[in-house]
Amino acid sequence: MVKKILDLNWRSLGEEDLQRLMILGAYSALEFADSLRLTLKLYPQDSLLRKMANEELQINNLSFGDYNKVGDHSQFLWHFIDKYGLIQKFPSLKKHGEDYIKKVKKLPKGVRAMSIVSRENELPGIFTKILTAKKWKVAGLPEFKYYLERHIFLDSHKGGHADMLRKFNINNEVGQFYKIRLEMYRGIPNLFSQPRS
């Protein structure tokens, strides 16, 4: 299922598509924070999980333009989505984002926890694919690009979040999460078009 996401037509996304993706990313980040807090409850004694969470929740390691405060990473994206009125520009994406959150919350707790571990490994690759899109200049996109680049670093550098969670086991049940994630991306039809040769 991750491969299907990686193989989407990220390179073709125009600026409005990327603004849409920023909105979906903000809903994803809201859900991520909720699932991470659930994971902390499931594994309260794990010090590396706690350390990783401390770099994701109520932290000031994202700073861009007029945003420099303590918060969850979703708050970074929502700050700029609100600033530039992107929800008003793309109102249909609210339902896509809310449906995604509802579906993930219905997954078994163990699958949600596995999705956190899996994402620390898989999201850098997905985010790198997103960055193959060519245009990043309109409202919100410089901030979104920074967000993606910062997360690639946090997750994949030596000793980063993926390394911190390496001891956790992941099995095929996590595919349930990525199926929901893939469905969320239906809010951006161009992602499912055939790449131009």
Side-chain angles (χ1 to χ4, degrees):
M1 199 57 68
V2 174
K3 186 177 185 307
K4 287 184 179 181
I5 293 173
L6 288 168
D7 288 345
L8 293 174
N9 195 6
W10 302 105
R11 186 183 295 270
S12 74
L13 295 185
E15 290 174 324
E16 288 200 344
D17 289 326
L18 288 167
Q19 287 178 321
R20 290 182 177 95
L21 185 60
M22 182 179 181
I23 294 169
L24 294 179
Y27 281 104
S28 300
L30 270 177
E31 174 274 315
F32 179 92
D34 186 64
S35 291
L36 179 52
R37 289 185 173 97
L38 170 69
T39 305
L40 286 168
K41 289 179 183 176
L42 294 177
Y43 303 100
Q45 305 304 319
D46 193 284
S47 60
L48 286 176
L49 173 63
R50 176 70 57 186
K51 182 179 178 184
M52 172 266 183
N54 285 342
E55 294 182 7
E56 295 275 3
L57 305 172
Q58 291 300 299
I59 187 69
N60 64 348
N61 59 4
L62 295 180
S63 177
F64 194 103
D66 62 352
Y67 185 93
N68 184 12
K69 62 183 181 181
V70 173
D72 294 351
H73 286 173
S74 66
Q75 291 170 270
F76 175 89
L77 291 177
W78 285 112
H79 173 85
F80 294 107
I81 288 167
D82 292 341
K83 178 178 179 178
Y84 299 120
L86 297 184
I87 284 286
Q88 290 76 16
K89 186 176 180 181
F90 306 109
S92 66
L93 289 182
K94 184 178 180 196
K95 184 176 188 316
H96 280 277
E98 290 175 348
D99 285 349
Y100 166 81
I101 290 173
K102 287 176 187 174
K103 289 175 183 176
V104 174
K105 283 189 172 185
K106 289 180 182 177
L107 290 172
K109 291 179 180 179
V111 173
R112 290 178 66 189
M114 267 196 293
S115 84
I116 292 293
V117 177
S118 177
R119 277 182 266 188
E120 297 308 301
N121 287 285
E122 302 295 352
L123 285 184
I126 295 170
F127 288 175
T128 298
K129 286 280 194 174
I130 295 169
L131 290 171
T132 63
K134 302 300 181 188
K135 297 181 179 179
W136 294 86
K137 292 185 178 176
V138 300
L141 295 191
E143 295 89 340
F144 185 38
K145 186 177 184 185
Y146 163 81
Y147 173 90
L148 295 171
E149 290 171 340
R150 187 81 177 113
H151 276 77
I152 291 168
F153 171 76
L154 288 171
D155 294 347
S156 61
H157 74 278
K158 186 175 181 180
H161 296 173
D163 284 349
M164 290 178 193
L165 304 185
R166 197 161 302 284
K167 73 174 184 181
F168 286 91
N169 291 323
I170 302 170
N171 62 41
N172 289 337
E173 289 183 88
V174 79
Q176 299 172 65
F177 165 77
Y178 287 107
K179 184 176 181 182
I180 295 169
R181 182 89 170 205
L182 181 63
E183 188 61 29
M184 178 189 71
Y185 290 134
R186 296 279 175 193
I188 308 171
N190 285 339
L191 271 175
F192 296 83
S193 64
Q194 290 297 317
R196 295 178 196 162
S197 55

